[in-house]
Amino acid sequence: MADNTAPSARHFIHDLVEADNAAGRWGVWPDSGRPRVHTRFPPEPNGYLHIGHAKSICLNYGLAEQYGGRFNLRFDDTNPVAEEEEYVQSIIRDVRWLGARWPGMYDDRARPAAPDEAIKAGVLFGSDYFGQMYDWAVELIKKGRAYVCDLSGDQVSEYRGTLTKPGRNSPWRERGVDESLDLFERMRRGEFPDGSRTLRAKIDMAHPNLNLRDPVMYRILHQSHHRTADAWCVYPMYDWAHGLEDSIEGITHSICTLEFENHRPLYDWFIDAINEGRTDDGSGPWGRKVHHPQQIEFARLELSYTVMSKRRLLELVRDGLVRGWDDPRMPTLSGLRRRGYTPEAIRAFAADVGVARFNGVIDIVRLENALREHLNRIAPRRLAVLRPLKLVITNWPESGDGAVDWLDAINNPEDVAAGTRRIPFSRVLFIERDDFHENPPKGYFRLFPGNEVRLRYAYFVRCTGCVKDPATGEVTEVHCTYDPATRGGDAPDGRKVKGTIHWISAAHAIDAEVRLYDHLFARPDPDDLSLSGSAHEPGAVPKNWKDNLNPRSLEVLKNCKIEPSLVDAGMAHDAFDIPNPDRFQFERLGYFAVDSESRSGALVFNRAVSLKDTWAKIARKG
RNA sequence: UGGGGAAUGGUGUAACGGUAGCACGAGUGGCUCUGGACCACUUAGUCUAGGUUCGAAUCCUAGUUCCCCAGCCA
């Protein structure tokens, strides 16, 4: 993942890791002798990954890579109610696409026989540790640190107390060890209905941190699991399971987001409870001590003009407010990928925003800039006209030998190695509707009657007039004359033009559909329900975050004209069907990627991001 | 009102008792066959009030504001 698009910015976690390394806290890797740094990314397979997860992946994988450590991809799949195989597949693809690598993963170059299974190579699952977790739970019961509680869900929360009032002990708290043992075993065997009992840690019902008020460790769930099927009728809660998963894998730095800070004492309590009666050399009554990772919290990523919670993203998908998890307007990795984002751009963005403990909101233009920066360097330039207006060169031959002129065009001014291509020029062209004004605004230096501009890579043309629809007054055709001496775009007499516009030869143009995107939400903060009213019904007050969706987030242009060299534009797929669309800069317009719905003969492009538009800024100011 | 965190230009992030820096944005100019890219310059900040110190964003005290926690979700 190390590349020059993601300079490693220093942050407080580097300091912590380096302090640990200097102190020899985690020992060394046997093979390299380097201090052990072992991180992980632990998603729950209950939704698609989004750009916020990318920050975490880059952080965790980046640390492992930087310190010569290891990185695990592990599913935290402890709640079968919400989890699905589809999510497992998408998450692995996204992590792989981003560039993270883990021990045992399938090599990119190999063509696996069964991609759906092969992609899981080296991927870990918390559910694989259910047996070990169960044994440790039994151990805690035996040590008098856990008990089976018969309280209902409502009663448990009632007994918990409130933020300011202490809770009360469960009447089952002092139940005998043998009885709890028996009950827990029968819970596991499925003798009791869902919700009838739980296994709870015996800590302190008056603890000021609510997480320590005898938290539930196991609940009864007669629910088939995507991996363990019907093997279990009890499933561990996150707080119990998560730290153990990290412990089992030897994770040194368990990096998570700020809201889990309150859980750290519990995470530590569980490991300490297991280690009670254990020793480093295994001589204690309970054997050898288990590994105790260090949890470190950082601020999750928030972005303006979008939402970043899985619950809300799922709601957008389920309500049909977007076209699916990979809708190019979504902040999901699959959406960004379809939109045209590159892993490099996302990594550079993650490095750019940094890692800290302050919960702020990143301006989404930072993400867009990261993409521009990468695509500016690598995207081949092409000519495309989104809103075509016919331009006739009245002094150009209509037919015969000189009717078509093939001109050299530079593929990428940022990369000379990209070379050149030839584009056809002829009498009738299409230009961008925006590039002609019969009565130009102040400061406008494109085409208007009497003005001379350069047609990119072609000729200087001077506007001689236009044709309008008598009924509507709409301009239907612009007329120009060209200067033969300016072929290639330079005037031998040294005269200059202010404007250069793009064009497509009408006779050679390919039709394409282009989808333009704007921010998913009309306001920087979708939760902002104040102010001037709903984006959908001006004047109406938005009632919830969904009323702040941007009604203009998608604009479909069906009559676009693109240069003939784009006929073969498409997308590649790697061995695991992760798509990699061709991406181009359509000159003066922005960066565009081939959409997954694009077909030969019916090309569809997504605008990933526009070019910076200084003229729009000038025009706005008047 | 209990507990846990956090406050540095418009935004985000550095500075680890010693010149408040960087990026993005914004503004100005240069350059340009993309009103792109690039280059230069400018703008603007330590939450408040005390204290310690030769010296405080940093240490201390008090306050203010914001975030998280009362799932058998993660």
Side-chain angles (χ1 to χ4, degrees):
Chain A
M1 194 184 273
D3 56 39
N4 56 11
T5 62
S8 55
R10 283 200 63 84
H11 49 70
F12 76 99
I13 299 181
H14 289 288
D15 296 341
L16 294 174
V17 170
E18 284 172 20
D20 286 347
N21 289 351
R25 181 175 180 188
W26 307 108
V28 296
W29 295 109
D31 48 352
S32 68
R34 298 182 68 171
R36 243 164 50 76
V37 174
H38 200 161
T39 59
R40 105 262 99 130
F41 175 64
E44 186 191 14
N46 67 343
Y48 279 61
L49 259 28
H50 54 64
I51 182 74
H53 295 111
K55 176 180 177 181
S56 174
I57 294 164
C58 291
L59 206 211
N60 279 290
Y61 179 70
L63 249 16
E65 183 182 55
Q66 188 171 347
Y67 294 105
R70 258 187 223 168
F71 167 82
N72 290 359
L73 171 57
R74 180 189 69 237
F75 285 92
D76 207 346
D77 53 349
T78 57
N79 181 9
V81 178
E83 296 160 8
E84 293 172 23
E85 173 69 14
E86 177 199 348
Y87 297 135
V88 171
Q89 294 282 334
S90 77
I91 288 168
I92 301 174
R93 284 185 165 79
D94 288 346
V95 175
R96 179 184 274 273
W97 176 70
L98 248 197
R101 296 292 176 259
W102 55 88
M105 78 185 287
Y106 222 99
D107 190 282
D108 278 337
R109 290 157 300 187
R111 174 85 216 181
D116 280 2
E117 277 311 307
I119 195 171
K120 293 183 189 168
V123 172
L124 303 169
F125 293 85
S127 52
D128 287 346
Y129 315 141
F130 280 173
Q132 174 66 266
M133 292 178 199
Y134 182 86
D135 291 345
W136 279 331
V138 167
E139 184 176 324
L140 259 54
I141 296 173
K142 290 179 180 168
K143 289 174 177 172
R145 316 228 73 137
Y147 61 98
V148 170
C149 177
D150 297 1
L151 255 26
S152 70
D154 286 346
Q155 288 172 315
V156 168
S157 69
E158 186 205 326
Y159 274 71
R160 184 155 31 227
T162 69
L163 294 177
T164 50
K165 284 202 294 285
R168 289 141 50 215
N169 284 166
S170 162
W172 311 101
R173 197 172 200 260
E174 298 308 327
R175 164 138 70 191
V177 166
D178 289 343
E179 190 184 357
S180 277
L181 246 20
D182 174 60
L183 255 14
F184 187 45
E185 163 65 16
R186 290 163 62 195
M187 282 165 64
R188 183 186 66 78
R189 286 207 304 260
E191 290 187 23
F192 309 119
D194 287 4
S196 58
R197 281 177 235 265
T198 55
L199 182 73
R200 295 227 256 163
K202 192 190 284 188
I203 308 181
D204 179 1
M205 288 306 292
H207 199 104
N209 180 343
L210 270 54
N211 294 129
L212 284 279
R213 316 245 261 231
D214 287 14
V216 172
M217 297 164 64
Y218 277 92
R219 75 284 215 186
I220 300 171
L221 239 38
H222 290 82
Q223 174 83 221
S224 195
H225 185 277
H226 71 104
R227 279 182 72 80
T228 61
D230 299 314
W232 295 90
C233 298
V234 290
Y235 290 93
M237 298 289 294
Y238 170 86
D239 281 324
W240 168 244
H242 195 84
L244 304 185
E245 293 166 13
D246 284 345
S247 173
I248 290 166
E249 293 177 12
I251 301 303
T252 55
H253 305 271
S254 299
I255 299 169
C256 64
T257 45
L258 252 24
E259 68 270 26
F260 290 103
E261 190 154 21
N262 293 331
H263 297 242
R264 188 172 62 208
L266 177 54
Y267 181 108
D268 290 337
W269 187 94
F270 280 134
I271 299 272
D272 289 343
I274 290 170
N275 279 338
E276 188 182 354
R278 292 171 182 265
T279 55
D280 287 329
D281 63 5
S283 62
W286 295 100
R288 190 181 298 275
K289 277 191 175 180
V290 303
H291 172 70
H292 192 155
Q294 173 68 55
Q295 175 170 300
I296 301 166
E297 307 85 13
F298 72 100
R300 66 175 339 119
L301 174 69
E302 293 293 343
L303 267 187
S304 60
Y305 293 101
T306 191
V307 290
M308 207 75 90
S309 90
K310 280 198 206 171
R311 204 204 85 234
R312 285 183 169 184
L313 295 175
L314 176 62
E315 198 170 335
L316 292 174
V317 172
R318 285 206 180 138
D319 291 359
L321 269 10
V322 294
R323 297 176 172 188
W325 285 104
D326 70 342
D327 186 301
R329 293 166 292 183
M330 292 279 271
T332 51
L333 295 181
S334 50
L336 293 169
R337 179 167 61 229
R338 182 170 172 189
R339 172 89 167 244
Y341 272 79
T342 58
E344 291 91 334
I346 291 174
R347 278 182 246 141
F349 170 72
D352 181 42
V353 300
V355 177
R357 290 174 61 87
F358 176 74
N359 261 319
V361 179
I362 306 288
D363 191 335
I364 198 163
V365 305
R366 301 274 289 272
L367 214 212
E368 295 166 352
N369 280 338
L371 215 219
R372 285 193 186 99
E373 198 182 321
H374 186 223
L375 260 20
N376 177 50
R377 284 186 278 121
I378 63 153
R381 314 289 133 125
R382 292 293 182 267
L383 262 27
V385 171
L386 266 30
R387 296 176 176 86
L389 171 61
K390 192 181 282 188
L391 178 82
V392 180
I393 314 291
T394 53
N395 58 341
W396 189 272
E398 290 190 45
S399 57
D401 278 353
V404 179
D405 190 5
W406 289 83
L407 299 155
D408 290 322
I410 293 165
N411 285 329
N412 186 349
E414 307 291 325
D415 175 16
V416 285
T420 61
R421 69 189 184 286
R422 314 206 91 183
I423 50 176
F425 184 92
S426 61
R427 186 171 201 267
V428 181
L429 312 173
F430 290 114
I431 61 166
E432 209 67 60
R433 212 154 248 291
D434 265 3
D435 287 339
F436 173 79
H437 267 83
E438 193 178 12
N439 301 297
K442 190 169 182 293
Y444 184 86
F445 48 70
R446 280 114 86 173
L447 219 46
F448 53 86
N451 194 39
E452 185 174 52
V453 301
R454 172 167 40 235
L455 295 177
R456 181 78 160 152
Y457 300 123
Y459 296 91
F460 283 14
V461 294
R462 186 176 296 280
C463 181
T464 54
C466 62
V467 178
K468 287 194 276 194
D469 181 322
T472 64
E474 188 192 24
V475 175
T476 55
E477 210 173 288
V478 178
H479 288 182
C480 283
T481 55
Y482 85 108
D483 176 357
T486 58
R487 183 173 190 277
D490 285 304
D493 63 5
R495 77 178 187 281
K496 301 286 183 192
V497 288
K498 292 275 279 181
T500 298
I501 66 175
H502 59 278
W503 51 272
I504 295 287
S505 167
H508 304 84
I510 298 174
D511 288 321
E513 174 177 325
V514 173
R515 299 174 184 172
L516 305 180
Y517 301 100
D518 194 359
H519 301 144
L520 224 204
F521 286 84
R523 292 183 178 175
D525 176 8
D527 280 320
D528 180 4
L529 267 19
S530 64
L531 303 170
S532 49
S534 156
H536 300 268
E537 300 170 67
V541 175
K543 291 180 292 298
N544 63 46
W545 61 280
K546 285 186 281 188
D547 286 339
N548 280 327
L549 277 163
N550 179 4
R552 283 174 289 276
S553 59
L554 169 63
E555 183 180 4
V556 178
L557 267 21
K558 290 196 180 277
N559 190 31
C560 307
K561 307 293 182 183
I562 63 178
E563 66 167 79
S565 70
L566 253 7
V567 247
D568 296 326
M571 67 176 66
H573 292 267
D574 76 358
F576 297 101
D577 287 328
I578 302 173
N580 183 28
D582 289 341
R583 304 175 183 87
F584 304 94
Q585 185 199 99
F586 290 170
E587 293 209 35
R588 301 211 305 132
L589 298 173
Y591 297 97
F592 295 78
V594 174
D595 185 73
S596 51
E597 292 175 351
S598 185
R599 297 290 174 267
S600 174
L603 297 175
V604 181
F605 291 88
N606 294 314
R607 184 175 67 191
V609 65
S610 66
L611 248 26
K612 280 191 191 162
D613 189 348
T614 306
W615 167 245
K617 206 182 290 180
I618 296 167
R620 223 180 297 128
K621 285 191 289 196

